[in-house]
Amino acid sequence: MQLQRMGWVIGLALVVGSIIATFLPESEDSVEERLFAEITYQMSEMKLVTDVLVVELNRLQGTERQPIERALQRAGDWLVGFRPEGVDHATRKAYLIQQRDAATDLVSDLQGLRQQLQGSPPAQ
């Protein structure tokens, strides 16, 4: 009986603790980590879609290649330009939010281009 009561107390403490934790603000470090994880996810998505675009680039000729080359250049520029730094949490957080949004938009554009190209006939 004593062991059962202790189990109930521990279970109740865990539930109350998790409820309280949901209403507490996130620490600045955890916000930065979450943003960086989102950017890392977008980078992996970017890699997948750019791999497909490189294959498409190799099958196209002439002016058909230009949209893919521009898109790949944009992706490369973004990757080279990404440098998470800053002297305080607010600066880093603002930079990471901006870069997360830019990466998300870039991946969406690349995926749209990929879908456009997959519907086009191969070059002869």
Side-chain angles (χ1 to χ4, degrees), residues 81-115:
F82 179 68
R83 289 194 174 26
E85 53 190 39
V87 294
D88 60 356
H89 288 294
T91 305
R92 284 190 300 269
K93 180 180 169 185
Y95 178 79
L96 290 172
I97 289 171
Q98 176 190 23
Q99 293 303 308
R100 180 204 54 200
D101 295 344
T104 302
D105 293 342
L106 182 57
V107 168
S108 295
D109 292 347
L110 292 171
Q111 288 172 338
L113 179 60
R114 179 188 64 191
Q115 289 174 344

Side-chain angles (χ1 to χ4, degrees), residues 36-52 75 78-79 82 103-104 106-108 110-111 114:
F36 197 78
E38 291 175 18
I39 291 169
T40 303
Y41 173 78
Q42 291 301 327
M43 286 178 170
S44 66
E45 290 293 309
M46 193 180 304
K47 182 194 180 317
L48 293 174
V49 73
T50 55
D51 287 347
V52 172
W78 182 86
L79 286 168
F82 179 68
T104 302
L106 182 57
V107 168
S108 295
L110 292 171
Q111 288 172 338
R114 179 188 64 191

Side-chain angles (χ1 to χ4, degrees), residues 46-84:
M46 193 180 304
K47 182 194 180 317
L48 293 174
V49 73
T50 55
D51 287 347
V52 172
L53 288 175
V54 167
V55 170
E56 291 291 322
L57 182 69
N58 291 333
R59 80 173 181 87
L60 297 175
Q61 298 174 0
T63 58
E64 295 175 322
R65 297 170 57 101
Q66 290 176 350
I68 299 174
E69 289 172 345
R70 282 192 300 267
L72 292 173
Q73 184 64 47
R74 279 182 54 212
D77 291 344
W78 182 86
L79 286 168
V80 169
F82 179 68
R83 289 194 174 26

